[in-house]
Amino acid sequence: MRRAVCPGSFDPIHNGHLEVIARAAGLFDEVIVAVSTNQAKKYRFTLTERLEMARETLASLKGIVVEPVGEGLLAEYCRQRGVSAIVKGLRSSSDFDYELPMATMNRQLSGVETVFLPAEAHYLHLSSTLIKEVAGLGGNVSDYVPRSVQRRMLAGEPPHNQ
Ligand code: COD
């Protein structure tokens, strides 16, 4: 079985993420959507909420598993789970500059390859940060996030640390 991982904070998951995950599912037998937690980061949504939003949104797609990933090395997680590829979406050359050293390090650490998928043009500008800013200022983000995310954003909960 060829298994890949799509890692991210997904705070929250948005249509740019979903598009890349769906394309990854067409390339691999199983795709793990690995929702990360980093104590140094301040999240808008709890880990439980980020997992729920991803699971609710991806429930209808076959071959996709959503699970939390701890603070350790992603390369080690891939080795333990028999993951042969990390799939990342690329929006820009700055994404590439940021991702390339990590891809090389991950391959050297555990042999896992990184597969880069060019972001869909319609979602090139999307980031979780921008979506939170627009929604926080009262803008309509319904074209950019799935319903389960929109619902939670409208509920307007305060920031969390986890
Ligand atoms: N279109 C397409 N793809 C997109 C878009 C978009 N509009 N926006 C984001 N993406 C993709 C990117 O590939 C991104 O990597 C991924 O979605 C997740 O995005 P975010 O913002 O949810 O995730 P980040 O950047 O907060 O997550 C960072 C990781 C957890 C992936 C990263 O920190 C990591 O790999 N950590 C593991 C720790 C580790 O092993 N460190 C050593 C590295 S060598």
Side-chain angles (χ1 to χ4, degrees):
M1 176 189 276
R2 296 188 69 77
R3 181 178 284 152
V5 64
C6 289
S9 307
F10 304 115
D11 183 42
I13 197 161
H14 58 64
N15 292 351
H17 293 134
L18 295 170
E19 208 267 339
V20 165
I21 293 165
R23 281 155 67 197
L27 297 172
F28 294 90
D29 301 313
E30 183 178 280
V31 172
I32 303 173
V33 176
V35 182
S36 70
T37 300
N38 178 342
Q39 291 299 327
K41 273 193 166 183
K42 195 163 189 167
Y43 297 103
R44 164 73 173 76
F45 295 100
T46 64
L47 176 61
T48 304
E49 287 170 325
R50 289 181 284 130
L51 287 164
E52 277 174 9
M53 290 186 281
R55 286 186 177 130
E56 285 164 14
T57 308
L58 292 163
S60 61
L61 281 183
K62 280 200 175 127
I64 295 181
V65 178
V66 179
E67 60 180 44
V69 58
E71 296 232 35
L73 278 175
L74 183 62
E76 179 57 20
Y77 172 87
C78 291
R79 198 188 58 73
Q80 286 174 6
R81 302 297 312 271
V83 167
S84 54
I86 299 167
V87 178
K88 295 278 185 90
L90 283 187
R91 289 163 291 187
S92 62
S93 54
S94 58
D95 269 3
F96 182 76
D97 290 345
Y98 175 70
E99 295 289 351
L100 184 61
M102 289 203 289
T104 304
M105 182 61 84
N106 283 328
R107 194 179 68 250
Q108 291 178 356
L109 287 171
S110 72
V112 67
E113 291 286 357
T114 298
V115 174
F116 294 119
L117 297 180
E120 157 62 39
H122 189 64
Y123 300 131
L124 266 183
H125 61 305
L126 283 195
S127 67
S128 298
T129 304
L130 191 58
I131 285 167
K132 284 180 281 192
E133 184 177 346
V134 171
L137 294 170
N140 179 0
V141 292
S142 60
D143 280 350
Y144 305 121
V145 295
R147 269 174 193 232
S148 76
V149 171
Q150 206 191 346
R151 187 161 37 83
R152 284 176 174 82
M153 298 205 89
L154 287 172
E157 293 163 44
H160 296 280
N161 273 321
Q162 182 186 226

